[in-house]
Amino acid sequence: MSQTASNWQVRRVMRDELVCWQLQTEQASVLIAEQGAQVLEFQLKNQQPIVWLSEQAQYQKGQPVRGGIPLCWPWFGDLKRNPITVQSMHQQADLAPFHGAARNLDWQLDEISHTTDQPSLTLLLSEPVIADWPHPVSVRCTFSLKQDRLTLTLSTHNHSNKTLHLSQALHTYLAISDIQRVQVEGLAGCRYIETLENWQERQQEGLLSFQGETDRIYQDVPPVIRLLDFGWQRQLCLKAERSKSAVVWNPWANKARRLSQFAEHAWQHMLCIETANVWDDCIQLPAGQQAQLTLSLWSEPLS
Ligand code: TA6
């Protein structure tokens, strides 16, 4: 199945066991797996990939692919580390899978649409069955490619008669030249939780550089965060809507050895900057209402 015009195309493709959709414009292409509504690739013509994907990635039913943009929903990370309101949505929080359920579920094609040069694709979880999380919701993820910019919107509709409490994140793996030749701009002055040192609260001073494993939950973040890559002379720009928190993660060498689908030196060439609603920024979703989390991602030359 496909739809084509002079300057864009949407087509269904297989990647081993996974049904995927490819969106293409004259400048860029995106590959999205129906499983988990997971972006696997985002590539501009004649440039390094924007999104990192493991060279050991496995495209199998029932397991997330390492890399791309996994969706963490309806909770982020370890559920037991979430606010009690988010934990209380689950009947057995100590058995809850890491990063929620969305990334392991099969989404369905809801809609393919386009404006003149911008193809869009929406995937839908109409009535997700999530073990020990018995709340009627529907979830949509819309992916739009406008020239060389990818926009992703995750939308949760609460069909229940009570308020739901969620945490969520767009777990974006970014492709970089070398973790020791990049810096993150935009977090100066922001509070953050240092998860590697007993979840203490700290404050970011200036640009963020990397000298070891990094796993931080930033709060009160600005709408735009930039990843400055001095090796590839580019900056990756992440613009968030309805998000005031972001997670920055690099496993470094030791943790990388414990990760699935992760080559020994891959940690040097990736960095996660995750557009989120976590910690103080969790979602309180009243009955019948919708919550949307949006990321726009693009590349610019280093100014
Ligand atoms: O977002 C950062 C993080 O929570 C890290 O602590 C690490 O666990 C990472 O997510 C990857 O988790 P995953 O379950 O995809 O291996």
Side-chain angles (χ1 to χ4, degrees):
M1 176 180 178
S2 70
Q3 291 190 21
T4 302
S6 59
N7 52 2
W8 62 268
Q9 182 183 48
V10 176
R11 64 195 181 102
R12 186 177 185 272
V13 298
M14 293 300 293
R15 180 65 68 89
D16 294 348
E17 296 179 11
L18 300 185
V19 175
C20 300
W21 291 89
Q22 187 171 50
L23 281 66
Q24 281 183 306
T25 63
E26 289 167 341
Q27 293 90 347
S29 73
V30 178
L31 186 69
I32 303 153
E34 282 189 356
Q35 175 177 274
Q38 181 175 352
V39 171
L40 299 178
E41 298 172 358
F42 175 28
Q43 176 91 42
L44 303 184
K45 280 187 180 155
N46 307 320
Q47 288 195 28
Q48 299 289 349
I50 290 183
V51 159
W52 177 86
L53 185 66
S54 172
E55 63 195 79
Q56 296 184 352
Q58 294 168 7
Y59 308 95
Q60 294 171 358
K61 302 291 273 180
Q63 73 165 18
V65 180
R66 176 69 65 186
I69 309 178
L71 303 181
C72 306
W73 178 95
W75 62 85
F76 171 81
D78 177 352
L79 180 57
K80 300 284 281 182
R81 282 285 188 180
N82 277 263
I84 197 64
T85 50
V86 175
Q87 292 187 46
S88 67
M89 296 286 105
H90 198 285
Q91 293 167 340
Q92 297 206 61
D94 48 0
L95 301 179
F98 202 69
H99 284 332
R103 61 181 180 167
N104 294 316
L105 294 176
D106 268 333
W107 297 52
Q108 291 84 36
L109 177 66
D110 184 41
E111 183 183 15
I112 297 173
S113 63
H114 64 91
T115 57
T116 47
D117 60 352
Q118 176 178 338
S120 289
L121 179 114
T122 299
L123 296 178
L124 166 67
L125 274 180
S126 54
E127 296 174 357
V129 175
I130 301 171
D132 303 316
W133 194 89
H135 308 291
V137 299
S138 57
V139 201
R140 281 180 170 78
C141 203
T142 297
F143 307 85
S144 299
L145 189 53
K146 184 172 178 62
Q147 281 101 25
D148 60 359
R149 180 174 299 202
L150 171 63
T151 298
L152 189 164
T153 295
L154 178 62
S155 178
T156 303
H157 192 165
N158 178 2
H159 299 301
S160 78
N161 56 10
K162 62 183 183 182
T163 294
L164 298 182
H165 299 269
L166 315 171
S167 59
Q168 58 187 359
L170 310 177
H171 197 295
T172 305
Y173 285 78
L174 298 168
I176 58 175
S177 61
D178 183 319
I179 190 64
Q180 299 188 67
R181 300 192 68 190
V182 301
Q183 290 182 305
V184 176
E185 180 185 76
L187 299 174
C190 293
R191 295 179 294 129
Y192 67 87
I193 305 296
E194 180 47 89
T195 69
L196 302 175
E197 292 183 32
N198 202 27
W199 293 61
Q200 293 172 17
E201 183 168 308
R202 301 243 171 94
Q203 186 172 33
Q204 179 64 35
E205 294 181 13
L207 295 172
L208 172 59
S209 302
F210 302 89
Q211 293 82 30
E213 183 181 352
T214 305
D215 197 342
R216 298 177 174 181
I217 301 172
Y218 284 87
Q219 300 287 292
D220 309 319
V221 303
V224 178
I225 296 173
R226 294 174 187 272
L227 174 58
L228 310 178
D229 188 331
F230 299 98
W232 283 345
Q233 283 299 297
R234 72 177 186 184
Q235 53 185 313
L236 300 183
C237 308
L238 296 90
K239 179 175 179 289
E241 295 169 58
R242 295 171 296 278
S243 159
K244 291 189 173 63
S245 48
V247 180
V248 179
W249 176 60
N250 183 284
W252 220 258
N254 288 338
K255 176 151 189 185
R257 292 190 189 98
R258 304 195 297 274
L259 294 174
S260 60
Q261 305 175 55
F262 209 93
E264 184 175 358
H265 298 294
W267 59 273
Q268 296 174 12
H269 305 294
M270 50 70 66
L271 177 68
C272 285
I273 301 179
E274 306 159 32
T275 308
N277 296 122
V278 296
W279 208 253
D280 295 349
D281 184 33
C282 288
I283 296 294
Q284 185 169 309
L285 184 55
Q289 300 300 305
Q290 295 191 52
Q292 293 190 331
L293 173 62
T294 297
L295 164 68
S296 292
L297 176 61
W298 71 95
S299 175
E300 294 179 3
L302 264 187
S303 48

